[in-house]
Amino acid sequence: MFLKMEEVGKTFNDKQKESFEVFSGIDLDISENQFVSLLGPSGCGKSTLLSMVAGLEEVTSGSIKLEGNPIKKAGPDRGMVFQQPSLFPWLNVKENVLFPLKGQWSKKESEERADRFLQMVHLSRFKQSYTHELSGGMQQRVAIARALAMDPKVLLMDEPFGALDEQTRHILHEELMKIWQETQKTILFVTHSIQEAIKLSDRVIVMGTRPGRIIADFYIDIPRPRKRDDEKVIEMERKVMDLLEGEINKVLKEELSHEVSH
């Protein structure tokens, strides 16, 4: 299997040295070129799991392997796109894309890669612009181009469109679909939006919380492009929402009881 998670667990220790289990026993196999979304309520551990695949968080128990190799640290075979683009404001657009390529490729090849992926995200004419001159959606496209230019085996995306308005998000959904179809990358995508997950993904992994765990694995066999008013899309949204409602109510009840007890 291309990306394999076996019995993966994560525990944090707080300042009082008390341990908090985010999740345990996560088993997940992802095939090459799949677009897979992780969906679930706050606190279920989906962003933590993504960070562990990126090598930014250590695995407490179990293992995560990419092409049979255990993931121990961050590496160029995994590209990460965060909710906030985390670009360097003192560099222009092209320099931001070139930055992680230093030492990986020759100057000529790095330039060609940067130009290719800026063209792919339709930012060629803005390559000399600075990031503060761009809209939020354009900044996120720079971040995607930067991640793709590294030629990762897996593109990891942590709510990359969560801070954008609905119209911009819709445009970037279309862009991401074209990029995914052209590059054939494996994408692991974290979102809170059921609609976004169903619109984009081959599979939607639904996570529950308290404790964090996988409660469903939906294969989305609906032809693309997917429209919001498609009956199959609406039916799938309903199935996922029915599952998630119980989990969301569980979180709300716990938060309310915690407030009352304090």
Side-chain angles (χ1 to χ4, degrees), residues 190-227:
V190 165
T191 179
H192 274 102
S193 167
I194 296 172
Q195 196 174 85
E196 182 171 68
I198 292 168
K199 183 178 180 181
L200 297 174
S201 313
D202 293 321
R203 286 167 72 190
V204 175
I205 309 297
V206 182
M207 293 183 71
T209 189
R210 312 287 200 276
R213 67 210 186 282
I214 292 173
I215 58 174
D217 183 352
F218 290 102
Y219 282 77
I220 314 298
D221 189 20
I222 303 171
R224 293 180 171 95
R226 296 168 185 159
K227 303 296 181 189

Side-chain angles (χ1 to χ4, degrees), residues 151-174:
D151 195 25
K153 292 175 180 174
V154 183
L155 186 61
L156 305 166
M157 309 187 82
D158 192 3
E159 295 194 66
F161 311 137
L164 304 175
D165 63 83
E166 189 174 353
Q167 190 176 358
T168 304
R169 198 158 58 236
H170 173 74
I171 292 166
L172 289 186
H173 286 165
E174 303 301 317

Side-chain angles (χ1 to χ4, degrees), residues 53-72:
V53 176
L56 302 174
E57 286 279 358
E58 288 186 5
V59 175
T60 307
S61 59
S63 68
I64 303 176
K65 294 178 181 177
L66 180 58
E67 294 186 317
N69 301 308
I71 292 172
K72 300 291 186 185

Side-chain angles (χ1 to χ4, degrees), residues 10 25 31 34 48 69 96 105 128 136 145 172 198 201 235 256:
K10 182 64 181 177
S31 302
Q34 268 192 333
T48 301
N69 301 308
N96 264 284
W105 287 276
Q128 300 304 321
L172 289 186
I198 292 168
S201 313
E235 184 186 342
L256 287 170

Side-chain angles (χ1 to χ4, degrees), residues 14 24 53 76 82 89 107 123 137 144 149 155 160 173 188 221 255:
D14 61 20
S24 64
V53 176
F82 299 94
K107 187 173 186 299
L123 287 176
I144 293 168
L155 186 61
H173 286 165
L188 190 56
D221 189 20
E255 287 175 355

